[in-house]
Amino acid sequence: MSDNQLRELSDFPQQRLVNVNLTNNKIDRCDEFNGSICKSVLNLNLNKNRLIDLTGLSCMPNLLTLDLSENKITSLKGLCDFPTLQTLKLNFNQIVEFDVVPELPALQN
C-alpha cells in the first residue's frame, strides 16, 4: 500500500498478514489504530509519511521491525509495548531529545 494518498493508519484485520508497507503516503495520525488485532505482523514500514507522534502504535506483540524514518516525529512518547522489536528506524525526524525512552528489551538495531 505504498505510494498512495492514505492519511490515517487504521486497522487491517488480516489474520495472516506479516509485512505491511505504507511507505510514502500522507499518514499523519494513527490514534485510531488497534495493533493488538495484528498479531501476525512482523514488519511495519511507515517511512516517508507525516507522523508527528506515535500515539496508537503500541500493542503489536510480535513486531520485529518498525521503520518510522522520514516523518515529523518529535518524541518517542507512545512507543511501548513492543517486547519483540529488534529494529527501530527513526532517522530523518524532528527528535530533539529523548524525553521518554521506552523499554524495548529485544532491540538490536
Side-chain angles (χ1 to χ4, degrees):
M1 296 187 298
S2 62
D3 299 303
N4 283 288
Q5 301 294 315
L6 297 173
R7 296 190 180 278
E8 182 178 334
L9 177 61
S10 57
D11 295 340
F12 35 87
Q14 302 296 321
Q15 298 299 322
R16 297 175 45 180
L17 195 59
V18 175
N19 300 305
V20 178
N21 186 352
L22 296 164
T23 301
N24 202 24
N25 278 285
K26 298 180 191 244
I27 300 171
D28 60 1
R29 51 185 281 204
C30 49
D31 55 342
E32 300 286 325
F33 180 66
N34 180 3
S36 63
I37 64 172
C38 304
K39 293 182 176 150
S40 62
V41 175
L42 301 178
N43 305 296
L44 178 58
N45 190 337
L46 286 164
N47 73 327
K48 295 183 181 178
N49 277 285
R50 298 176 180 176
L51 286 171
I52 295 171
D53 65 54
L54 303 174
T55 304
L57 266 185
S58 60
C59 303
M60 295 182 78
N62 298 312
L63 195 65
L64 298 175
T65 303
L66 178 59
D67 189 345
L68 297 167
S69 56
E70 297 186 53
N71 277 282
K72 298 178 181 186
I73 299 167
T74 58
S75 171
L76 298 183
K77 184 178 178 185
L79 188 65
C80 58
D81 299 325
F82 292 111
T84 59
L85 190 67
Q86 296 176 358
T87 300
L88 174 62
K89 295 181 181 180
L90 286 163
N91 51 310
F92 297 106
N93 275 287
Q94 298 175 4
I95 300 170
V96 177
E97 65 181 333
F98 289 111
D99 53 345
V100 176
V101 180
E103 188 172 325
L104 304 167
L107 194 65
Q108 297 174 4
N109 298 306

